[in-house]
Amino acid sequence: MKFDTPATTNPIDQLKVVGQPFDRIDGPAKTTGTARYAYESHDVAPDAVYGCIVGAAIAKGRILSIDETDAKAAPGVLGIVTAENAGKLGQGDFNTAKLLGGPEVDHYHQAIAVVVAGTFEQARAAAQRLRVRYEPSRGRFDLAAAKDTAVKPKPGAGGPSDSSVGDFATAFAAAPVQFDATYTTPDQTHAMMEPHATVAKWDGNQLTMWTSNQMIAWTVGDVAKTLGIPKEDVRLISPYIGGGFGGKLFLRADALLAALAARAVRRPVKVALPRPLVINNTTHRPATIQRIRLGATRDGKLTAIAHESWSGDQPDGEPETAVSQTRLLYAGEHRLTAMRLAVLDLPEGNSMRAPGEAPGMMALEIAIDEMAEKLGLDPVEFRIRNDTQVVPDNPVKADSDDPQAKGEQTHVPHPPFSQRQLVECLRRGAEKFGWARRNPKPAQARDGRWLVGTGVAAAFRNNLLMKSAARVRLDQRGIVTVETDMTDIGTGSYTIIAQTAAEMMGVSLDEVVVNLGDSRFPVSCGSGGQFGAANSTSGVFAACVKLREAVARKLGVEAGEATFAHGRVFAGGRSGTLAELAGPAGLTGEDGIEYGDLDKRYQQSTFGAHFVEVGVDAVTGETRVRRMLAVCAAGRILNPKSARSQVIGAMTMGVGAALMEDLVVDKRKGFFVNHDLAGYEVPVHADIPHQEVIFLEETDPIASPMKAKGVGELGICGVGAAVANAIHHATGIRIRDYPITLDKLLERLPLPTDSG
Amino acid sequence: MRPFTYERARTPAEAAAAAKRHAGAKFVAGGTNLLDLMKLEIETPTHLIDVNGLGLDTLETTPEGGLRIGALVRNTDLAADARVRRDYGVLARALLAGASGQLRNMATTAGNLLQRTRCPYFYDTNMPCNKRVPGDGCAAIGGFTRQHAVIGASDACIATHPSDMAVALRVLDATVETIGPDGATRRIPLADFHRLPGDQPQVETALAAGELITAVTLPRPVGGAHFYRKVRDRASFAFALVSVAAIVQRDGSGRVALGGVAHKPWRVEAAESEMTKGARAVVARLLAGAKPTTENAFKLKLVERVLAAVLAEAKGARG
Amino acid sequence: MAGTAAVAVTSLTMISQAQPNANPAPAAALMKIAFTVNGTPRALEIDPRTTLLDALREELHLTGTKKGCDHGQCGACTVLVGGRRINSCLTLAVMQQGAEITTIEGLGTPEQLHPLQAAFVRCDGYQCGYCTPGQICSAVAMLSEVQAGIPSHVTADLNAPAAWSEAEVRERMSGNLCRCGAYSNIFEAIQTFAGKRP
């Protein structure tokens, strides 16, 4: 189904099932521990043995030798795979650094070997017996030091690295009120609870992997490419994924080395990354340095906006696209954005929940708060004054290598937003949060030992369109079974897909079975970039349209005239049950959604507003969040219960980003020092108060037939800045370097009494 | 994890004797730190002596009116004991500020004292560490030192001791009771139990090889207002940046010990004569000679602020 | 200048895995162990190095108990031993001779959910589901701890019996990380369940 004109009325609009807060259909499995994650596939590979990955002990250099004598002699050892004996390996499209290093080492804890043994205990012990000699070489590990070497990166998915509208320099110089500040965000790690894990099994040339992966088709492709085998010989199965957040978008070392090891020892092999290896072995959100300059009139109209960002990555890597939202969020005639990329020899930087916008909004939304303060304007009002209903800066995106096909014909310099309710989000949130009672002056409120403050930030995240297909089968019991390689990483895919199929086919939710995460199913959009929900359900919608046609044909009526309800079809006085129409042979509909140029004619984005109240301990500077509210406008909400969970989860991660999350780089040795869950602190229960989420009424017929957009990342975009702004309001102290830990506040907090 | 043999000891003497028989033996009780480190091969015992069956899990009042805490009393149970809550509030508070509910259910009194540092370079076997491999060097020095010691460190090691409980025990003048491999018992004041790193950071306590902790005794309650203030980045389940254990008497005199600043619970009795003068005066002597790094210098200020708040609260409570 | 971002490498080569091992490690002799899991007696012959967590997952195929970190830093492996919650990754199976162990599989089944499991489903107290069994086991024991009057870090008066409060629950559950960030809903699930208790 090609979606190239805005949606009109369709069966989803009935909202009998879609839009209702159903409990997740995978809930009983998850809460009883019967949902089976990758490493738990005992029955399919009862003879599986264990692989333990060895990570490089240096950040950059060469392996001189690997002495396997002791490891091979260790009890139970069945084989050792290194780059020397792995055979020729290709490089996956989605990998920057090699997944199996050697002799060159590209980053710390890059996998250099997998040791296979009969039991986990044997494999782990034997892996420690591998003796590796290295020749370290100099590496570049310090973003601040490498900043001046950063270059203009290649245009990526987020558009060109630079953009310019009007004449920023002149307008900024002429602005009556100017603001210029630099912010930093640190490297961060996904820290999903399930470490990357895979069971790999070969049957002849056929490779099957039970793995934990967000993007089945991408990864099938990269497995095939890396191993040099046909895609058809690779099957991935990933029904449950213990969190991903962008860290499991790709083929990673667990899967590749499980496959190599299984081939080497001729038995299925299971590999999970040990937690202390995950952080440096896999990808992370890169640190940024961001300079923001704002020029405004005295009455609070932005006239000049510049946002520049510096980040680093492995050679041939990509920048953290932290300026992308600044092209879209606020009005302002004269504008400039730029991204620069330095080469660093740290582990590979890549996507983490809302790449680009998450760190970009952390900086931009402090800057907006600072400018409002400078102008003496309420920060909610300042944002409202600078709203725009068209895109202020829409650089031409290169979507083809052919210079003639740069989309010039469809390029609209200032496209309208398909929907944009930022102002409503801010107003509604302000009202709900009691913003009017706020004393604009910072450092005024106290509650016992706590200095109390509130902060606001806009939320913004783009809606991404991806092709997505599904197959829907109807059987003679009237059960509808959906098959798609879509994944559920905690996002609620199972449930919203079931809701979509139930609505389309006129059956109840418990008459739908959803099978996900198997590469034998039609290729979906996968999970990432908050594109999963809207695109995958649109694909299911398309497949259901096909199935409805098949059912109508059986009844001998036109699909367009048929009504599907209560497990029956009605049209023109005729009626039949789905079960009998399906008959013993059953009926199948298969299709996918693909998109026209609606996303070029309209900008599709999601909006929100975050309101946060914090207490800062007047003595210690410890910040604790007391209240949180997010108001979101993100198209049709397919399931308010699971969508709310997506938002609160993102808000929680945003609190972590604001207050504690910091992968610390040892700039001498070139690695993330705090590489476990004790050293890298993420929020715990005690850090998070009750969280409130309001979804504004919205349908977006331009976005998809579901009239839905993504929401899973909107919640993290801006929330960190809202925390930072609340800390400023509580204390009068402005911190521009995340995370805002107590040591950054301490010097400027008032002295406690009785210091003597 | 290296292979090891395993036995369950039935009496303290049997455990100690078993340790004598096996070079490279370790006692295991809660296991929360030992197994953590064994998985990384930072600890490589060849023989494990499970001491959980020794019956050292009771609390009893001593003839002097103090409290004798069995080595195997779990942190949860110690913190929940009515006598501890009433008379040794600083200890209950310190225990409850540590780790998680699950870990406190496993961790024992003796094991808590024997926790090893959480220095990330100690935990990464690719990094040089004089604790792991004496003479290997210290990767933490010049590295990421936000959590590290500000006082009492050496050129060989700048690690801190991670225990909360030990800080409270230090301020309570606790004594550690042990039995040696030859069956001899001895009592070690907590002040002498943990060592500063010096040039032998691998030697962390006064225990001899094979010596088993059987109990920790507390003197009679000293009264006063008890405080344990732990400062950390997240609200729970995190190690202290600094912690302040204090007992303040009605006349403003008292005791104070610190966690998170040194290789051992840090207490300087002489500094306590300044308690009535205020936090600055106390800290000036308590942390005299401190040598912080730029990353952890905030700890000095933080200690002073927390102690000031504690003293103010104690004064307020006295009216 | 790129050159300013230098690494201080003093020696030309380095060797990882600092402890040399002249003799290959001896094979670990298996040990016999018996305990009860969810009411069923279990006997195993097991490598002494096997944690209770790995014994449950890899030997008994009770994979509801999750391995998130294997170092006591996340709580995903929480099980009940004698009714008390522990991190099963930090105890050896051989140390649990005679123990009565309850795992998530012992609380309820998809067809017959334990009321707390049902509350998690109703309140959406989970997302990816990987921390969920640990959260639920932890919560069951946590409520017993409150009932037994065991204080917590946020208990205001150490000499008064511990009482139910939002802050108490959030503090006591802090040993169970949830990176999906379901904390707000997990609290509501626990509250819903606890409110139904007699």
Side-chain angles (χ1 to χ4, degrees):
Chain A
M1 174 185 286
K2 178 105 179 220
F3 184 76
D4 50 9
T5 53
T8 53
T9 302
N10 66 40
I12 297 297
D13 294 322
Q14 301 172 93
L15 298 182
K16 288 182 195 161
V17 192
V18 169
Q20 303 303 319
F22 281 104
D23 294 344
R24 289 175 201 242
I25 62 173
D26 48 339
K30 283 180 173 171
T31 55
T32 55
T34 49
R36 217 166 50 184
Y37 297 79
Y39 201 75
E40 300 163 1
S41 311
H42 288 291
D43 55 343
V44 295
D47 55 340
V49 291
Y50 294 79
C52 184
I53 289 182
V54 178
I58 61 167
K60 187 152 181 66
R62 283 177 63 81
I63 295 171
L64 296 175
S65 66
I66 299 179
D67 180 352
E68 299 178 355
T69 317
D70 290 349
K72 272 191 173 148
V77 169
L78 301 167
I80 298 170
V81 177
T82 66
E84 263 181 64
N85 65 2
K88 190 171 159 12
L89 295 177
Q91 176 85 347
D93 291 342
F94 295 95
N95 294 129
T96 303
K98 284 191 292 185
L99 297 178
L100 177 60
E104 299 300 324
V105 171
D106 303 308
H107 63 86
Y108 190 70
H109 276 175
Q110 183 176 32
I112 56 166
V114 59
V115 178
V116 187
T119 70
F120 169 68
E121 289 74 23
Q122 290 170 337
R124 181 178 57 190
Q128 292 267 14
R129 306 277 81 74
L130 213 59
R131 311 235 319 129
V132 187
R133 289 172 61 242
Y134 298 94
E135 182 177 39
S137 55
R138 291 164 75 89
R140 299 146 290 188
F141 308 118
D142 183 350
L143 176 61
K147 180 172 173 254
D148 294 340
T149 68
V151 299
K152 197 168 160 170
K154 294 189 299 262
S161 64
D162 293 26
S163 71
S164 171
V165 175
D167 179 355
F168 170 77
T170 308
F172 181 69
V177 185
Q178 296 169 346
F179 173 77
D180 180 352
T182 297
Y183 302 84
T184 62
T185 62
D187 297 286
Q188 296 171 349
T189 186
H190 312 86
M192 71 297 276
M193 297 309 300
E194 179 204 24
H196 303 65
T198 300
V199 179
K201 179 183 181 186
W202 291 85
D203 296 295
N205 293 329
Q206 305 279 317
L207 171 63
T208 306
M209 296 165 113
W210 292 264
T211 189
S212 185
N213 190 285
Q214 300 174 228
M215 301 294 289
I216 299 301
W218 285 8
T219 303
V220 165
D222 271 359
V223 169
K225 196 168 174 192
T226 308
L227 293 175
I229 60 176
K231 267 202 245 190
E232 295 66 41
D233 289 350
V234 180
R235 182 176 176 196
L236 250 60
I237 300 174
S238 194
Y240 289 102
I241 295 138
F245 314 113
K248 293 176 181 168
L249 290 167
F250 320 111
L251 171 65
R252 297 299 315 169
D254 60 304
L256 176 63
L257 293 188
L260 292 171
R263 191 162 67 183
V265 305
R266 299 171 183 281
R267 279 177 74 171
V269 171
K270 49 201 287 187
V271 174
L273 292 186
R275 180 61 67 175
L277 204 73
V278 172
I279 284 175
N280 284 284
N281 176 270
T282 68
T283 60
H284 66 280
R285 189 201 298 285
T288 64
I289 299 169
Q290 301 179 49
R291 182 186 186 196
I292 297 176
R293 283 172 289 169
L294 303 171
T297 61
R298 295 211 183 276
D299 61 352
K301 214 167 158 310
L302 287 168
T303 54
I305 302 175
H307 191 166
E308 297 156 277
S309 175
W310 291 261
S311 59
D313 200 1
Q314 287 265 319
D316 301 318
E318 290 183 19
E320 181 69 21
T321 57
V323 308
S324 51
Q325 74 288 321
T326 308
R327 296 171 182 165
L328 299 152
L329 193 51
Y330 295 113
E333 205 179 331
H334 303 282
R335 328 176 58 98
L336 178 153
T337 66
M339 291 180 277
R340 293 294 176 267
L341 178 63
V343 172
L344 293 180
D345 298 300
L346 291 171
E348 177 178 332
N350 216 313
S351 295
M352 178 170 146
R353 202 168 196 168
E357 280 109 327
M361 291 292 279
M362 285 168 78
L364 177 65
E365 288 297 289
I366 297 183
I368 293 291
D369 199 70
E370 295 201 62
M371 189 57 159
E373 190 188 18
K374 213 165 175 181
L375 290 159
L377 272 179
D378 177 82
V380 172
E381 175 57 25
F382 180 53
R383 286 177 172 87
I384 290 172
R385 277 189 203 179
N386 289 286
D387 187 45
T388 173
Q389 290 295 314
V390 299
V391 175
D393 175 6
N394 185 38
V396 178
K397 293 182 182 70
D399 47 14
S400 160
D401 290 338
D402 176 3
Q404 297 301 310
K406 275 199 170 175
E408 294 288 357
Q409 284 151 337
T410 50
H411 181 250
V412 184
H414 300 290
F417 289 91
S418 60
Q419 295 278 350
R420 177 174 166 122
Q421 297 199 72
L422 175 60
V423 169
E424 291 75 8
C425 290
L426 287 161
R427 290 216 166 106
R428 181 78 180 277
E431 186 194 318
K432 182 82 188 173
F433 201 70
W435 192 256
R437 292 192 299 274
R438 180 188 198 245
N439 182 345
K441 204 172 160 202
Q444 300 301 305
R446 187 152 183 160
D447 174 10
R449 60 191 251 234
W450 300 102
L451 310 173
V452 180
T454 52
V456 64
F460 173 91
R461 172 77 171 136
N462 269 335
N463 182 56
L464 304 175
L465 301 182
M466 303 268 284
K467 290 204 301 194
S468 193
R471 181 162 56 229
V472 190
R473 292 189 284 111
L474 177 65
D475 69 19
Q476 61 179 335
R477 297 165 302 156
I479 299 294
V480 176
T481 301
V482 186
E483 295 172 338
T484 165
D485 82 355
M486 180 60 188
T487 49
D488 189 330
I489 61 173
T491 39
S493 309
Y494 277 107
T495 310
I496 56 172
I497 284 172
Q499 287 175 274
T500 303
E503 193 80 78
M504 288 297 288
M505 301 313 300
V507 299
S508 63
L509 201 56
D510 57 11
E511 291 167 310
V512 180
V513 174
V514 180
N515 294 320
L516 300 182
D518 187 329
S519 59
R520 290 198 175 162
F521 300 151
V523 173
S524 73
C525 56
S527 297
Q530 80 169 16
F531 53 65
N535 291 288
S536 70
T537 54
S538 294
V540 173
F541 173 95
C544 286
V545 167
K546 283 279 199 297
L547 181 58
R548 285 167 64 108
E549 288 167 6
V551 172
R553 260 198 308 278
K554 274 266 181 169
L555 188 62
V557 300
E558 283 294 314
E561 286 153 23
T563 302
F564 288 71
H566 313 299
R568 300 181 71 87
V569 199
F570 309 87
R574 286 204 234 174
S575 145
T577 67
L578 292 182
E580 63 200 31
L581 289 167
L587 292 169
T588 301
E590 180 169 344
D591 198 5
I593 193 82
E594 51 187 310
Y595 299 92
D597 66 350
L598 282 172
D599 65 334
K600 295 197 174 62
R601 291 195 277 138
Y602 297 89
Q603 176 61 38
Q604 299 182 15
S605 303
T606 61
F607 296 88
H610 287 291
F611 292 83
V612 171
E613 178 180 298
V614 302
V616 179
D617 188 307
V619 173
T620 64
E622 292 162 289
T623 299
R624 303 290 179 246
V625 176
R626 297 156 62 107
R627 280 202 296 150
M628 298 188 85
L629 165 68
V631 184
C632 302
R636 172 174 283 154
I637 299 302
L638 301 172
N639 180 329
K641 189 179 276 192
S642 56
R644 178 179 175 277
S645 285
Q646 283 293 286
V647 177
I648 66 168
M651 290 158 74
T652 300
M653 200 178 276
V655 169
L659 297 179
M660 63 193 80
E661 292 185 35
D662 184 1
L663 278 181
V664 177
V665 179
D666 185 312
K667 299 183 184 80
R668 309 161 304 162
K669 295 178 180 290
F671 75 120
F672 298 125
V673 183
N674 47 341
H675 55 77
D676 60 25
L677 291 177
Y680 184 83
E681 292 186 14
V682 301
V684 297
H685 274 276
D687 289 297
I688 302 300
H690 173 74
Q691 294 164 318
E692 195 164 356
V693 179
I694 296 171
F695 293 111
L696 293 189
E697 276 297 316
E698 183 175 300
T699 51
D700 194 336
I702 291 165
S704 69
M706 301 299 292
K707 303 175 186 175
K709 290 182 285 199
V711 74
E713 298 183 339
L714 182 62
I716 196 175
C717 297
V719 69
V723 173
N725 295 339
I727 291 171
H728 172 257
H729 186 237
T731 62
I733 303 168
R734 186 67 78 175
I735 304 297
R736 299 190 180 115
D737 300 297
Y738 290 100
I740 306 175
T741 47
L742 61 94
D743 43 313
K744 296 173 186 172
L745 297 168
L746 215 51
E747 286 287 340
R748 287 184 272 168
L749 283 175
L751 268 183
T753 52
D754 236 75
S755 276
Chain B
M1 193 184 294
R2 301 272 184 99
F4 54 83
T5 48
Y6 169 89
E7 72 174 290
R8 294 183 197 98
R10 283 166 302 182
T11 65
E14 188 184 306
K20 195 175 183 178
R21 280 198 305 275
H22 296 270
K26 280 260 179 192
F27 302 115
V28 63
T32 55
N33 195 203
L34 182 60
L35 284 168
D36 170 32
L37 295 171
M38 284 168 66
K39 290 177 186 190
L40 300 166
E41 297 201 4
I42 293 166
E43 293 280 6
T44 55
T46 55
H47 184 68
L48 272 193
I49 305 161
D50 185 337
V51 295
N52 284 295
L54 301 192
L56 303 173
D57 51 3
T58 56
L59 286 153
E60 56 199 59
T61 307
T62 63
E64 298 79 34
L67 194 62
R68 187 167 186 276
I69 305 160
L72 292 167
V73 173
R74 309 287 153 170
N75 286 180
T76 299
D77 301 325
L78 184 55
D81 182 82
R83 289 161 291 188
V84 173
R85 289 156 76 168
R86 185 186 65 228
D87 299 330
Y88 305 100
V90 64
L91 176 58
R93 287 285 179 209
L95 286 159
L96 296 170
S100 67
Q102 291 94 313
L103 289 166
R104 291 193 296 272
N105 280 342
M106 306 171 81
T108 63
T109 307
N112 190 319
L113 285 177
L114 296 173
Q115 276 186 88
R116 305 198 66 189
T117 183
R118 298 285 163 166
C119 170
Y121 297 94
F122 169 71
Y123 262 78
D124 189 327
T125 50
N126 293 322
M127 297 296 141
C129 172
N130 289 318
K131 273 189 185 295
R132 276 189 276 105
V133 183
D136 202 27
C138 169
I141 294 173
F144 170 52
T145 57
R146 183 166 180 263
Q147 303 271 3
H148 287 76
V150 294
I151 195 160
S154 72
D155 292 342
C157 180
I158 58 171
T160 53
H161 195 270
S163 171
D164 291 299
M165 184 196 79
V167 184
L169 291 181
R170 179 72 179 91
V171 91
L172 288 167
D173 285 333
T175 304
V176 179
E177 295 181 8
T178 70
I179 182 168
D182 49 4
T185 61
R186 65 168 177 152
R187 296 167 56 86
I188 309 167
L190 199 84
D192 303 329
F193 185 80
H194 294 106
R195 295 180 70 258
L196 288 178
D199 56 6
Q200 284 191 301
Q202 75 278 15
V203 185
E204 291 164 359
T205 68
L207 290 181
E211 193 172 3
L212 175 73
I213 299 174
T214 51
V216 173
T217 52
L218 302 177
R220 294 182 49 187
V222 295
H226 287 224
F227 299 88
Y228 188 78
R229 289 290 152 78
K230 179 175 182 177
V231 185
R232 45 192 161 179
D233 288 319
R234 69 181 176 193
S236 188
F237 198 20
F239 294 100
L241 293 167
V242 305
S243 67
V244 175
I247 300 173
V248 186
Q249 302 297 341
R250 293 193 66 82
D251 61 2
S253 68
R255 310 167 174 189
V256 59
L258 307 177
V261 299
H263 197 259
K264 57 188 277 188
W266 192 255
R267 183 175 173 197
V268 177
E269 277 83 346
E272 292 163 3
S273 60
E274 310 285 327
M275 286 288 270
T276 51
K277 294 184 196 153
R280 185 166 299 161
V282 177
V283 173
R285 291 186 68 175
L286 185 54
L287 293 179
K291 288 194 188 109
T293 66
T294 49
E295 279 173 340
N296 64 28
F298 74 92
K299 289 186 176 185
L300 306 184
K301 281 268 184 310
L302 189 54
V303 164
E304 188 180 317
R305 296 176 70 96
V306 173
L307 183 59
V310 162
L311 297 182
E313 191 178 327
K315 192 188 273 180
R318 294 196 300 271
Chain C
M1 294 294 286
T4 57
V7 60
V9 176
T10 47
S11 61
L12 235 157
T13 65
M14 55 176 289
I15 298 176
S16 77
Q17 321 303 1
Q19 291 125 353
N21 187 30
N23 304 309
L30 299 186
M31 289 190 73
K32 287 200 167 102
I33 172 82
F35 44 54
T36 303
V37 184
N38 302 326
T40 307
R42 299 283 201 161
L44 293 171
E45 224 174 308
I46 203 163
D47 186 323
R49 292 172 294 182
T50 309
T51 61
L52 175 59
L53 172 62
D54 286 324
L56 291 170
R57 284 170 64 82
E58 305 303 319
E59 302 289 331
L60 301 175
H61 295 183
L62 290 168
T63 52
T65 307
K66 303 302 182 193
K67 186 186 280 192
C69 72
D70 215 15
H71 288 274
Q73 301 163 354
C74 79
C77 67
T78 303
V79 299
L80 312 184
V81 174
R84 287 164 72 115
R85 53 180 173 163
I86 65 160
N87 300 110
S88 63
C89 73
L90 289 184
T91 190
L92 297 170
V94 292
M95 290 167 67
Q96 298 302 327
Q97 174 67 34
E100 287 187 13
I101 297 155
T102 306
T103 69
I104 189 70
E105 291 92 344
L107 293 182
T109 62
E111 295 72 34
Q112 199 156 15
L113 296 176
H114 180 281
L116 182 58
Q117 290 169 325
F120 265 67
V121 174
R122 202 169 319 124
C123 298
D124 215 36
Y126 60 93
Q127 291 176 37
C128 78
Y130 202 76
C131 76
T132 311
Q135 300 276 359
I136 292 172
C137 286
S138 187
V140 166
M142 179 275 295
L143 291 167
S144 313
E145 289 167 13
V146 175
Q147 237 167 18
I150 294 169
S152 88
H153 173 61
V154 299
T155 307
D157 181 356
L158 281 180
N159 294 305
W164 169 277
S165 77
E166 184 178 331
E168 283 283 0
V169 173
R170 293 197 195 282
E171 160 61 24
R172 289 166 189 268
M173 289 299 294
S174 287
N176 292 86
L177 304 187
C178 169
R179 185 55 160 168
C180 295
Y183 296 132
S184 188
N185 289 357
I186 292 171
F187 171 75
E188 311 221 330
I190 295 170
Q191 189 177 44
T192 301
F193 167 67
K196 281 185 178 169
R197 286 161 72 90

